[in-house]
Amino acid sequence: MFGLVFSLTLGWPAPGAAHVLQSDGTVGVRLHVDPGDEPMVGQSSTFMLEFQGHHAGFPLDRCDCQLVLFLDGKPVFTRALPTDATSAATIAHVFDQAGVYRAEVAGTPRPGADFKPFRVAFEVRVLPDASAPGPVWWWARQYGWHKSHQWLAK
């Protein structure tokens, strides 16, 4: 009951509040999705992944890391992360369907790396196209469909 009252009186958290660091062991990952944490069907979205390790930076060049997007439990997009960056990576994607996606980031160490395999997950809500007919678009904006990526249990 308290949660219902809290939600009704204070509303949803701001999208920026969702940029939490998710960690598994000694590796942490922060996710941001452009544009404005409100990906939309038919528009290019950029996943920005910031990594943190127990040392300064994170050795992406020593990690077999990938981003997998799931919809309804099925993988719909898989991409290996570029290894030419020190502790951040970006990947572009165009969604073809609105819904709640699970964005999973996983990595295994290459020889010489000093971290253990990791896996973290985020929730990403994709809005319908702005030209979609009916009240769905209005509802999504008014009631926070777009308040995105919160951590999901593994």
Side-chain angles (χ1 to χ4, degrees):
M1 181 63 172
F2 175 95
L4 178 61
V5 172
F6 179 77
S7 294
L8 292 174
T9 57
L10 298 178
W12 295 92
H19 291 207
V20 295
L21 182 69
Q22 302 301 332
S23 62
D24 183 9
T26 60
V27 178
V29 181
R30 187 179 325 267
L31 172 68
H32 173 70
V33 184
D34 261 348
D37 290 315
E38 296 181 338
M40 189 178 301
V41 169
Q43 295 184 7
S44 181
S45 297
T46 302
F47 286 78
M48 292 174 273
L49 300 158
E50 177 186 341
F51 291 82
Q52 293 181 359
H54 60 281
H55 301 295
F58 180 79
L60 276 175
D61 61 338
R62 287 185 257 151
C63 180
D64 285 322
C65 297
Q66 68 176 5
L67 169 69
V68 181
L69 298 177
F70 295 88
L71 181 61
D72 298 326
K74 298 177 185 141
V76 294
F77 175 80
T78 301
R79 182 69 41 93
L81 298 186
T83 60
D84 58 352
T86 303
S87 59
T90 58
I91 292 179
H93 179 66
V94 177
F95 290 95
D96 60 1
Q97 185 176 347
V100 179
Y101 289 75
R102 176 183 171 102
E104 192 172 279
V105 181
T108 55
R110 291 183 179 167
D114 62 348
F115 64 91
K116 294 184 191 254
F118 67 91
R119 182 178 311 275
V120 295
F122 301 86
E123 183 178 274
V124 178
R125 295 176 185 269
V126 177
L127 295 169
D129 185 319
S131 64
V136 172
W137 176 248
W138 177 87
W139 177 87
R141 284 282 186 193
Q142 291 298 112
Y143 295 103
W145 173 295
H146 66 290
K147 306 304 184 197
S148 65
H149 46 270
Q150 297 173 6
W151 183 73
L152 294 172
K154 291 187 240 175

